[in-house]
Amino acid sequence: MSGITESGTTGAADSQSPAGTPGDDTLRTDVVVVGAGPTGLLLAGDLAEAGVAVTLVERRPAGRSNLTRAFGVHARTLEALDARGLAEKLVATGTRLTTLSLFRRLALDLTALPSRFPFLLITPQYEVERLLERRARAAGVDFRHGTELTGLVQHPAASGQGTDAPGHASVSAELRACDGTLTTLRARFLVGADGHRSPVRQALGLPFPGASVIKSIVLADVRLAEEPAQLLTVNGANDTFAFMAPFGDGWYRVMGWDRTRQADDGEPVDLDEVRDIARRALGSDFGMHDARWISRFHSDERQAPAYRVGQVFLAGDAAHVHSPAGGQGMNTGLQDAANLSWKLAAVIRGQAPAPEALLDSYESERHPVGRTVLRSSGAIVRLAMAHTPLQRAARSLAARFLNTVRPAAARAMGMVSGIGIAYSAPRGAHPLAGRRAPDLKLAEGRLYELLRAGTFVLIEAADGTTATPPPAPGAVVRAHWAAGRRHPALLVRPDGYIAWASGRRTSL
């Protein structure tokens, strides 16, 4: 990979095209998104629906889906999909899990979540991708499958003599198609949503500090002779940990780990090894047979120190990876995309009064969330891996505490589901600022239906008092509280978070 350079150095993309013809410095697109997994697809679809020109680069050939590792779609992600008119379609593809059971001792009642979606949706990742890809194509995203990024060149703001608009910095993406053809694509911004090995992150020269938290995890897709009693089967026992979830078509994904067998990723694994782990961890192998795929991998806990470098951003697994415990990986990436997309769109359309501050807020808001997810998923997996008497006693104590102390259980569910995640607000801001807005009942309909326009929503105070919100970086839809509801004025961002509020009320 040629890496990242700045215009005026030896970056080949600035002087000549790879084919040797004179270079073309015009902006060919507004945003290049690298990676067509769930994060990249949601981001690209959002931008295209906002009228932004988007090119989506994906090294996989068209029609080849990602390896499905994610199976759970949490409540906050379903709310984000609801704001795009996709939630009900996705819910129809899976099964609702209303109780999250861990370690055979802890049971979290998801029906207590203050959301329109008080459950964990069990559905494979490819169903999420299918819906998001269909939406992105309908919105006009330019898909370039079978194409990989080989380097980046960042250009400072133009002076106005060339074809670029004055004042706009840009970035060139050096691309190679599967047939070897080299091209350079120049854009205002580039987003790396290209997974944990992220060529974008590597081109930026960013480290990815962290460590492997679990080694030698086995994965298998199998059929079962006996159906498990629970939709999601998970437990740790006898130096093992196992997880089992349905695809919904008769196939099951089994994940297992054995403390006593720490093999390298490339070491062969067979169905007998998977059966043995399942029997020791779950008490049964459920008659698994006819494995169509088996593999071995390891799980890391890593986070990039920065999510933005100039005109380039990182999102999803390119920015953070963690253990699969809690099923937060894909969900966190989708929330990254929901946070970033409206900010990029506002800046590109010239609607942001302070564009650099708005773009920087992506990292300041999402980096702490990524760090929190690393810690929470890490805590879950360490409890699952407990093997000493002291560690097991601590696990039992933690489970008993969460089972009996409702506020603590609510906080735990809020973090895992995403419902409880909030962003820091400026000093002196209203207590509601930075919090997630629930699906409020308004005179014009549900809040998340109004958010489908991709704009801010200003909900005016029901008591007739007036208050002036700060200028919004984008269009604003005005709404009113439904009859009988006396709440303060709110300005809700396109991603469903409260940007501003008036009045003394601190809860909704």
Side-chain angles (χ1 to χ4, degrees):
M1 181 172 294
S2 61
I4 181 169
T5 60
E6 287 199 4
S7 180
T9 66
T10 58
D14 228 26
S15 57
Q16 286 189 335
S17 69
T21 57
D24 185 354
D25 287 338
T26 59
L27 291 171
R28 293 300 185 90
T29 190
D30 292 321
V31 180
V32 173
V33 178
V34 183
T39 300
L41 288 168
L42 187 139
L43 177 68
D46 280 4
L47 291 169
E49 286 195 340
V52 173
V54 187
T55 298
L56 185 55
V57 176
E58 171 55 54
R59 64 179 179 81
R60 293 173 294 155
R64 181 177 297 176
S65 178
N66 268 328
L67 168 67
T68 289
R69 287 186 180 173
F71 271 85
V73 183
H74 284 294
R76 183 61 189 147
T77 301
L78 288 170
E79 289 180 345
L81 295 174
D82 188 24
R84 292 157 177 81
L86 299 176
E88 296 302 331
K89 295 177 182 178
L90 185 63
V91 169
T93 69
T95 306
R96 305 179 188 199
L97 182 69
T98 57
T99 301
L100 189 58
S101 300
L102 297 172
F103 322 130
R104 294 182 179 173
R105 295 179 179 88
L106 175 61
L108 297 177
D109 180 12
L110 300 179
T111 62
L113 286 171
S115 172
R116 184 179 178 83
F117 306 99
F119 52 84
L120 173 65
L121 180 69
I122 304 301
T123 192
Q125 178 177 318
Y126 58 71
E127 294 289 0
V128 179
E129 291 186 358
R130 180 179 58 83
L131 285 173
L132 292 175
E133 179 175 348
R134 183 181 302 169
R135 169 180 179 254
R137 289 189 182 279
V141 171
D142 173 23
F143 279 77
R144 300 198 182 185
H145 281 280
T147 302
E148 62 179 332
L149 180 94
T150 59
L152 298 175
V153 179
Q154 295 221 47
H155 309 276
S159 62
Q161 288 95 4
T163 53
D164 286 345
H168 287 169
S170 60
V171 57
S172 292
E174 300 168 2
L175 308 174
R176 180 172 59 216
C178 56
D179 63 0
T181 302
L182 302 176
T183 58
T184 299
L185 185 63
R186 189 161 174 175
R188 284 281 305 277
F189 300 102
L190 183 144
V191 181
D194 49 345
H196 68 285
R197 293 189 177 90
S198 182
V200 172
R201 189 188 63 245
Q202 294 177 34
L204 291 173
L206 284 175
F208 207 33
S212 294
V213 62
I214 319 178
K215 297 181 179 179
S216 195
I217 304 171
V218 296
L219 289 178
D221 291 348
V222 300
R223 291 194 180 275
L224 302 180
E226 306 169 26
E227 185 174 337
Q230 295 180 323
L231 179 66
L232 193 66
T233 306
V234 57
N235 192 51
N238 303 314
D239 287 325
T240 60
F241 173 83
F243 164 94
M244 188 178 296
F247 279 94
D249 59 357
W251 290 94
Y252 283 77
R253 165 64 51 81
V254 181
M255 180 180 73
W257 176 80
D258 181 354
R259 185 187 305 278
T260 64
R261 178 168 170 72
Q262 297 294 289
D264 292 334
D265 288 357
E267 185 157 336
V269 55
D270 57 26
L271 189 56
D272 285 339
E273 181 177 351
V274 181
R275 288 192 184 108
D276 177 64
I277 294 174
R279 283 193 294 265
R280 291 160 60 195
L282 305 177
S284 172
D285 64 12
F286 301 95
M288 61 180 68
H289 60 94
D290 291 340
R292 63 181 178 182
W293 176 75
I294 305 179
S295 181
R296 192 189 305 273
F297 77 105
H298 68 276
S299 177
D300 288 352
E301 288 181 353
R302 302 182 184 276
Q303 185 178 28
Y307 286 10
R308 181 191 181 192
V309 178
Q311 304 302 102
V312 182
F313 299 81
L314 298 177
D317 286 354
H320 47 78
V321 295
H322 42 81
S323 83
Q328 298 172 84
M330 177 182 69
N331 291 271
T332 305
L334 288 170
Q335 292 301 319
D336 288 345
N339 182 288
L340 179 59
S341 62
W342 68 267
K343 296 174 181 179
L344 286 175
V347 170
I348 290 169
R349 295 184 301 196
Q351 297 173 322
E356 288 304 309
L358 184 62
L359 294 175
D360 284 343
S361 72
Y362 166 66
E363 179 178 316
S364 65
E365 290 181 345
R366 294 304 300 174
H367 197 278
V369 173
R371 185 169 58 247
T372 298
V373 171
L374 256 70
R375 290 173 178 171
S376 63
S377 62
I380 294 172
V381 77
R382 285 168 176 80
L383 287 173
M385 293 164 59
H387 67 288
T388 68
L390 183 60
Q391 290 172 337
R392 289 172 179 168
R395 182 173 68 189
S396 297
L397 183 62
R400 188 179 305 115
F401 177 74
L402 292 175
N403 279 331
T404 57
V405 182
R406 290 185 179 180
R411 181 175 176 81
M413 287 190 296
M415 294 308 299
V416 173
S417 68
I419 294 297
I421 291 175
Y423 300 136
S424 297
R427 179 174 295 181
H430 193 280
L432 290 173
R435 295 188 191 178
R436 154 200 163 266
D439 192 19
L440 303 168
K441 184 178 181 181
L442 306 173
E444 293 79 7
R446 295 192 296 112
L447 171 61
Y448 280 75
E449 289 177 332
L450 298 184
L451 288 173
R452 292 174 185 175
T455 65
F456 280 73
V457 175
L458 176 61
I459 307 172
E460 299 182 345
D463 58 8
T465 59
T466 59
T468 304
V476 177
V477 170
R478 304 181 80 91
H480 305 81
W481 291 103
R485 293 175 177 258
R486 304 185 66 81
H487 290 304
L490 298 175
L491 181 64
V492 182
R493 304 181 344 180
D495 59 356
Y497 283 84
I498 298 171
W500 168 89
S502 70
R504 297 181 179 178
R505 193 179 182 101
T506 60
S507 62
L508 295 173

